[in-house]
Amino acid sequence: MTARPSLIVACAIIEKHGVILAARRSRARSQGGYWEFPGGKVSPGESPEAAVVREIKEELGAFVQVKRGLAAVTFEYPDKTVTLVPFVCDGTGAAFAAQEHEALRWVDEESSRALSWLPPDVEILEAFWKEAKVDSRRSSLDG
């Protein structure tokens, strides 16, 4: 029995004015048509944070500023194991263009839940919105 390949993938939750950027995978790729957070494989010797900045530049043609990381999510596909390492990034002032994706869409919490996300991205999405609510409550208490 051969071991399944294991990949580490960095992904970006790109925020701008209370919404986040969702990217739909090209239908020509595996799992095409599903929505995901943009990003890609971490290269040997590269940190996940550096990988997410590089991948966003390659995939979306823009530079993002990493604000913070979220908990990694590991998902078992039939042919591989993928560990997604998410980073919340600031997308203010950047112009994003779909170079590898079929579509890009800015979504709020409600509209994000109407999209068909890849399974590991759903877990990250839920964690992000939960954290956003906590941060919002904290800010209103501080103000």
Side-chain angles (χ1 to χ4, degrees), residues 14-132:
I14 301 171
E15 292 183 299
K16 183 159 85 172
H17 308 299
V19 294
I20 59 173
L21 187 65
R24 187 167 50 202
R25 291 177 67 87
S26 167
R27 294 187 194 278
R29 297 181 64 202
S30 72
Q31 300 165 337
Y34 282 98
W35 292 87
E36 66 178 355
F37 292 113
K41 295 177 199 154
V42 177
S43 298
E46 182 179 40
S47 72
E49 187 172 334
V52 79
V53 171
R54 175 185 53 76
E55 287 285 346
I56 298 310
K57 181 71 178 157
E58 290 173 5
E59 289 185 9
L60 304 176
F63 177 78
V64 292
Q65 180 71 43
V66 174
K67 293 168 55 175
R68 67 187 176 280
L70 296 178
V73 171
T74 299
F75 192 80
E76 303 280 339
Y77 288 100
D79 59 335
K80 64 187 169 221
T81 300
V82 175
T83 298
L84 272 176
V85 183
F87 291 94
V88 178
C89 300
D90 184 5
T92 306
F96 299 96
Q99 297 178 29
E100 295 184 17
H101 291 88
E102 188 173 284
L104 300 175
R105 184 182 297 172
W106 290 100
V107 293
D108 61 14
E109 182 177 3
E110 184 178 344
S111 57
S112 72
R113 295 183 190 284
L115 301 178
S116 295
W117 293 83
L118 288 171
D121 292 76
V122 170
E123 194 171 330
I124 292 167
L125 183 71
E126 294 300 325
F128 172 79
W129 288 125
K130 183 177 180 181
E131 179 187 272

